[in-house]
Amino acid sequence: MNCEFCERDGGPVLWRDGFCRIVRAASKDYSGFCRVILNRHAREMTDLDATERRRLMHAVFACEAALRELFQPDKMNLASLGNQVPHLHWHVIARHAGDRHFPDAIWAAPRRAAASGDDARPAVSDAQLGERLAALLAAPSH
Amino acid sequence: MNCEFCERDGGPVLWRDGFCRIVRAASKDYSGFCRVILNRHAREMTDLDATERRRLMHAVFACEAALRELFQPDKMNLASLGNQVPHLHWHVIARHAGDRHFPDAIWAAPRRAAASGDDARPAVSDAQLGERLAALLAAPSH
């Protein structure tokens, strides 16, 4: 099939089940940046049935909740684009007012050389994030 | 409150109910670009309860379905950013391989001067879009 997200995890796996996985994005500018990736290959949310859509969004919102708790962002950003890798995945990004692109999308040209105020932000390990996700995702999805 | 989306609709309203509205974005590059805007003021999806989240996503996915039918895109893009207007709204964008930014996000620097192949794409009126949305959203949300 030659799809990047079918062949590889896409980053360190913080949480997974038989349906989807949550990985940490490799980003030097954004430490609070995860991806929620559907395990099977599908392109669009409307290619899933209603139950699958709900289940995937449940993981996305759990990821948002974990990042809000651990990174205290000024804004959360959620996006399912997939123009480059057309395999359903959600970007879940904790944004801060001093970050490299704020208030633009992280895909825009950067506004500043590097994130300011990063020193004041907590360093959050993969293990901490994974633990929080496991706790949040232990609750039923619907 | 001085919030743009509390004070104004945000574009021509294609569909609305007491909970949210779907407007057409003013975009010269993207005719298949809508926004789903929560009526009340809230910042993040995790500020909504589970029922509200499901209801808003139901409108987002109906919007995706309508745009897929009417614009036959190569990929759909969904995003809730709100860094500039922190009032919950979803961008729902039909993307084509020849469009101005493809395969980048529409917030990136453009790759080409203008969309190519636009002449081959159907012109879709607000009325057509609104009619399709009304039909799709007549179904129960959960």
Side-chain angles (χ1 to χ4, degrees), chain A residues 43 46 64 68 74 78 80, chain B residues 43 46 64 74 78 80:
Chain A
R43 289 175 67 90
T46 45
E64 173 174 301
R68 287 183 77 178
D74 294 308
L78 305 176
S80 173
Chain B
R43 289 175 68 88
T46 45
E64 173 174 301
D74 293 308
L78 306 175
S80 173

Side-chain angles (χ1 to χ4, degrees), chain A:
Chain A
M1 168 162 310
N2 201 24
C3 164
E4 189 177 327
F5 287 160
C6 283
E7 289 167 7
R8 285 183 289 278
D9 279 338
V13 176
L14 305 173
W15 180 90
R16 81 181 312 150
D17 68 2
F19 178 72
C20 69
R21 58 192 185 267
I22 303 178
V23 304
R24 195 150 188 186
S27 168
K28 62 176 173 19
D29 292 320
Y30 298 97
S31 54
F33 182 175
C34 295
R35 289 195 184 94
V36 181
I37 305 173
L38 187 72
N39 290 340
R40 77 175 173 92
H41 188 81
R43 289 175 67 90
E44 308 285 7
M45 288 302 289
T46 45
D47 291 335
L48 305 186
D49 68 29
T51 303
E52 291 175 310
R53 283 202 289 266
R54 197 177 306 152
R55 192 171 172 185
L56 192 58
M57 295 317 295
H58 180 67
V60 170
F61 299 139
C63 191
E64 173 174 301
L67 292 174
R68 287 183 77 178
E69 284 178 34
L70 294 168
F71 289 90
Q72 306 287 319
D74 294 308
K75 189 69 190 66
M76 286 302 304
N77 288 180
L78 305 176
S80 173
L81 308 177
N83 306 317
Q84 318 231 13
V85 183
H87 173 132
L88 265 180
H89 62 281
W90 282 86
H91 304 276
V92 184
I93 314 154
R95 302 294 309 274
H96 291 92
D99 74 33
R100 204 164 175 215
H101 301 81
F102 203 88
D104 297 322
I106 67 159
W107 301 281
R111 288 204 178 219
R112 46 196 76 85
S116 61
D118 231 11
D119 295 342
R121 279 175 227 151
V124 176
S125 68
D126 291 356
Q128 275 176 288
L129 254 172
E131 202 171 301
R132 200 63 205 107
L133 286 168
L136 288 162
L137 286 162
S141 67
H142 46 88

